[in-house]
């Protein structure tokens, strides 16, 4: 009778070996997966190194409300255009200056210095004009006039309307001050830099000495006191 136990034993050993090999392969695969090396096609977890290294990672999407550099935000566009508007002040090129008739009294010589609106718009003047006597070469004669005490006010000038300020000084014949005869009176409107030129025809003015002061009042509406 033939012994059939040997083939059966070899088949059992072969089956056991195949099972053991399969178990080892499965363990190795599980170990590789848990080591942090993702399998092909797997999705990396949030916050992983791969997420931050992807194109665009860490870069915020464009914000539609962000203003480009150099652009004017919509909320300030009106302010920018408002700053370019013409203000209400009368400018030098909108005015004409003149000197009225002398009004002598108590040893004083008083002159109205008149500013007239020659523009086509209504504008305002406020406070004191500037004034200076100069000779034919443009050299100033004497110090700047002093501001007389008063309450400056805003005067609104419609086209053709005027405002005046009083220019006063002691009569040189009485005061004994050193004198000169100006060629021109320079009149600068309030808050302006460019003066208006008025030919001076009223003779000598004090330019030196203790009694040489000249005063100027704030502007008022009209052409004379």
């Amino acid at each position: 009778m033939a012994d059939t136990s040997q083939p059966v034993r070899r088949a059992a050993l072969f089956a056991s070996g195949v099972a053991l090999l399969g178990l080892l392969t499965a363990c190795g695969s599980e170990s590789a997966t848990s080591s942090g090396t993702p399998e092909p096609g797997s999705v990396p977890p949030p916050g992983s190194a791969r997420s931050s290294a992807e194109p665009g990672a860490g870069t915020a999407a464009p914000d539609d409300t962000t203003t480009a550099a150099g652009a004017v935000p919509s909320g300030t566009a009106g302010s920018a255009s408002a700053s370019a508007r013409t203000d209400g002040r009368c400018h030098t090129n909108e005015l004409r200056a003149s000197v009225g008739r002398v009004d002598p009294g108590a040893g004083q010589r008083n002159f109205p210095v008149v500013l007239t609106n020659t523009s086509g718009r209504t504008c305002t003047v406020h406070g004191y004009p500037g004034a200076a006597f100069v000779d034919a070469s443009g050299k100033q004669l004497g110090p700047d006039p002093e501001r007389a005490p008063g309450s400056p006010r805003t005067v609104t000038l419609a086209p053709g309307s005027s405002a005046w300020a009083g220019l006063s000084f002691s009569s040189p014949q009485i005061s004994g001050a050193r004198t000169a005869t100006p060629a021109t009176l320079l009149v600068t409107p309030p808050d302006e830099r460019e003066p208006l030129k008025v030919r001076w025809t009223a003779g000598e003015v004090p330019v030196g000495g203790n009694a040489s002061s000249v005063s100027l009042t704030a502007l008022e509406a009209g052409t004379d006191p």
Side-chain angles (χ1 to χ4, degrees):
M1 179 176 179
D3 186 2
T4 61
S5 61
Q6 291 298 329
V8 171
R9 187 179 295 112
R10 285 196 298 269
L13 290 175
F14 178 79
S16 298
V18 171
L20 179 61
L21 179 61
L23 179 63
L24 290 176
T25 302
C27 291
S29 176
E30 180 180 357
S31 176
T33 302
S34 62
S35 67
T37 303
E39 294 181 351
S42 63
V43 178
S48 69
R50 180 178 175 184
S51 294
S52 62
E54 288 178 347
T59 303
D63 184 356
D64 291 339
T65 63
T66 302
T67 302
V72 179
S74 59
T76 61
S79 300
S81 60
S83 65
R85 296 172 186 166
T86 304
D87 58 29
R89 189 177 79 242
C90 296
H91 299 283
T92 298
N93 62 358
E94 298 176 304
L95 298 169
R96 180 183 70 249
S98 59
V99 177
R101 293 179 298 177
V102 62
D103 179 22
Q108 290 286 111
R109 304 193 73 190
N110 309 299
F111 301 86
V113 177
V114 181
L115 293 176
T116 302
N117 180 6
T118 59
S119 74
R121 72 179 183 109
T122 297
C123 57
T124 61
V125 291
H126 177 87
Y128 296 82
F133 294 110
V134 298
D135 62 17
S137 67
K139 179 182 178 181
Q140 183 169 337
L141 303 172
D144 292 337
E146 300 174 354
R147 291 183 173 182
S151 300
R153 66 192 68 182
T154 298
V155 181
T156 301
L157 300 179
S161 298
S162 301
W164 68 276
L167 179 73
S168 301
F169 53 84
S170 297
S171 176
Q173 290 77 13
I174 297 175
S175 69
R178 182 165 55 86
T179 64
T181 301
T184 303
L185 175 66
L186 300 181
V187 181
T188 306
D191 301 313
E192 292 292 300
R193 293 181 179 275
E194 293 299 320
L196 297 163
K197 297 180 179 181
V198 182
R199 189 166 67 93
W200 183 259
T201 59
E204 295 179 328
V205 300
V207 295
N210 294 332
S212 62
S213 63
V214 178
S215 67
L216 195 63
T217 67
L219 288 162
E220 298 182 36
T223 58
D224 53 45

